[in-house]
Amino acid sequence: MNAARDSWNGILAPGEDILWQGQPHSTIDWSGLVNPMTLMGVFFTGFSLFWIAMAASMTAGSGAPFPFSVFPLFGLPFLGIGLWMLGGRLVLDAWLRGHTWYTLTSQTAFIARNAFGKKTLDSWPLADMDRIVWEDGNPGSVIFHMKGGTGPRLGRNGTPIRFLGFHQIDESQRIYGLMRAARRKLREDAE
């Protein structure tokens, strides 16, 4: 772990040790299809395909002038929205997980991402975590809720914002135990 520790110079606090590093599974989580957004995606996709087909049939072979000949293309944004709601969001989520790395130290949970030409490193102090939740599964997840209400909220469209945590990881129960033990030690040391 010394080589791994060296790459963290200037980031880790003195005495902070790396307990675990890993990457989430990057397979598509099809269980996300069981969502009201999927039903809306069916509506949007169906409506946009109907729009495009009807507009194309009305303008085909009619010698319509230029502005009207592109009329069927106005359905493409709706088709894109519908496909996003149907399953595009799941594909993007899987792709993002493939570009994400997790690190647990004796004091901090780190989530690093290298996507869309941008590298980010987010950190959450274990001492500031109100709750740590283990989600069973194959793979499982370890979710953390921060003090001060930073945690899951509803987005603009009313769907829940994804919880903070280490999502879809192997050995999730072991990582859950490591996080709880490290947080307990930090709290004992602070007393």
Side-chain angles (χ1 to χ4, degrees):
M1 280 286 199
N2 287 340
R5 170 89 177 148
D6 291 342
S7 66
W8 287 84
N9 281 341
I11 297 173
L12 299 183
E16 187 173 8
D17 296 316
I18 295 174
L19 303 177
W20 170 81
Q21 290 182 305
Q23 191 171 13
H25 285 237
S26 60
T27 56
I28 297 173
D29 181 12
W30 294 110
S31 67
L33 286 176
V34 181
N35 186 310
M37 190 178 291
T38 305
L39 186 58
M40 288 299 298
V42 170
F43 170 75
F44 264 86
T45 303
F47 172 76
S48 62
L49 289 174
F50 175 76
W51 172 276
I52 293 168
M54 293 304 293
S57 70
M58 290 171 57
T59 59
S62 66
F66 169 72
F68 297 106
S69 63
V70 296
F71 197 55
L73 300 179
F74 287 112
L76 290 179
F78 295 101
L79 179 62
I81 292 169
L83 293 174
W84 169 259
M85 295 169 106
L86 270 175
R89 59 196 162 83
L90 303 178
V91 173
L92 178 64
D93 178 61
W95 184 84
L96 286 173
R97 279 186 276 112
H99 293 80
T100 301
W101 294 266
Y102 300 137
T103 299
L104 175 64
T105 71
S106 55
Q107 299 177 27
T108 312
F110 290 96
I111 300 177
R113 182 169 282 157
N114 184 2
F116 307 115
K118 183 178 178 183
K119 293 181 181 182
T120 59
L121 179 64
D122 291 322
S123 62
W124 291 275
L126 296 178
D128 292 344
M129 293 181 185
D130 275 340
R131 292 185 322 143
I132 302 172
V133 179
W134 172 55
E135 289 183 355
D136 191 12
N138 189 21
S141 298
V142 179
I143 309 302
F144 36 91
H145 301 267
M146 305 302 291
K147 290 180 183 175
T150 56
R153 295 190 180 117
L154 295 181
R156 282 179 265 149
N157 61 357
T159 59
I161 295 173
R162 189 160 195 187
F163 295 100
L164 294 174
F166 298 152
H167 295 276
Q168 297 197 12
I169 56 173
D170 292 322
E171 302 183 276
S172 59
Q173 188 173 15
R174 184 177 78 81
I175 306 311
Y176 169 73
L178 284 173
M179 285 184 84
R180 290 192 65 223
R183 182 182 65 172
R184 184 172 37 253
K185 184 173 182 342
L186 287 169
R187 288 180 176 175
E188 288 170 357
D189 291 346
E191 291 177 354

